[in-house]
C-alpha cells in the first residue's frame, strides 16, 4: 500500500459523494472538507485509522448538520507524512 488520496465520485455530485483513499500504515489522519474561503465545513475523520483502502461518504452537510450550498469544495487528507487536497463540486 501507499498513502494516496483519490478522486471523489461522483463529481459533480448531489446529494452525496464518496472519497476514496489508501493508507500505507496504521496512522493518525484527518479527512476534512473546506469551502472556497478555506473554512472547515465538515470533518469526516480525525484520529487513528487502519492501513488499507478506504471510502468515506460526505452527505453534503456541515458539522452542524446543515445542508451546504452548491459550489466548489476541497477535501484534504493529512497524516504525519502525507498531505493532499483535491477539488469537488456540489450541484443542486
Amino acid at each position: 500500500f501507499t498513502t494516496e488520496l483519490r478522486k471523489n465520485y461522483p463529481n459533480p455530485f448531489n446529494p452525496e459523494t464518496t472519497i476514496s483513499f489508501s493508507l500505507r500504515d496504521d496512522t493518525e489522519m484527518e479527512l476534512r472538507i473546506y469551502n472556497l474561503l478555506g473554512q472547515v465545513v465538515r470533518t469526516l475523520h480525525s484520529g487513528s485509522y487502519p492501513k488499507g483502502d478506504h471510502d468515506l461518504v460526505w452527505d453534503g452537510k456541515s458539522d452542524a448538520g446543515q445542508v451546504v450550498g452548491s459550489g466548489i469544495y476541497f477535501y484534504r487528507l493529512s497524516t504525519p507524512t502525507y498531505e493532499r487536497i483535491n477539488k469537488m463540486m456540489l450541484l443542486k
Side-chain angles (χ1 to χ4, degrees):
F1 285 102
T2 60
T3 299
E4 177 185 21
L5 179 61
R6 299 185 188 96
K7 299 288 185 189
N8 64 301
Y9 60 90
N11 190 21
F13 69 97
N14 180 21
E16 66 182 32
T17 188
T18 299
I19 298 170
S20 297
F21 61 96
S22 60
L23 298 174
R24 185 183 62 168
D25 299 301
D26 295 351
T27 188
E28 294 292 313
M29 71 84 139
E30 289 182 348
L31 185 58
R32 290 195 165 133
I33 312 294
Y34 297 84
N35 63 19
L36 280 173
L37 299 176
Q39 299 163 321
V40 175
V41 173
R42 180 82 177 265
T43 300
L44 294 180
H45 185 82
S46 180
S48 60
Y49 221 77
K51 82 177 202 179
D53 290 322
H54 305 283
D55 295 321
L56 289 176
V57 175
W58 182 40
D59 58 6
K61 294 180 182 176
S62 69
D63 278 333
Q66 298 174 320
V67 175
V68 301
S70 295
I72 294 172
Y73 293 87
F74 299 92
Y75 56 104
R76 184 184 83 177
L77 174 67
S78 57
T79 74
T81 59
Y82 178 91
E83 182 174 87
R84 176 74 191 250
I85 299 171
N86 285 343
K87 182 169 65 170
M88 60 185 161
M89 183 179 294
L90 172 57
L91 288 179
K92 299 213 175 179

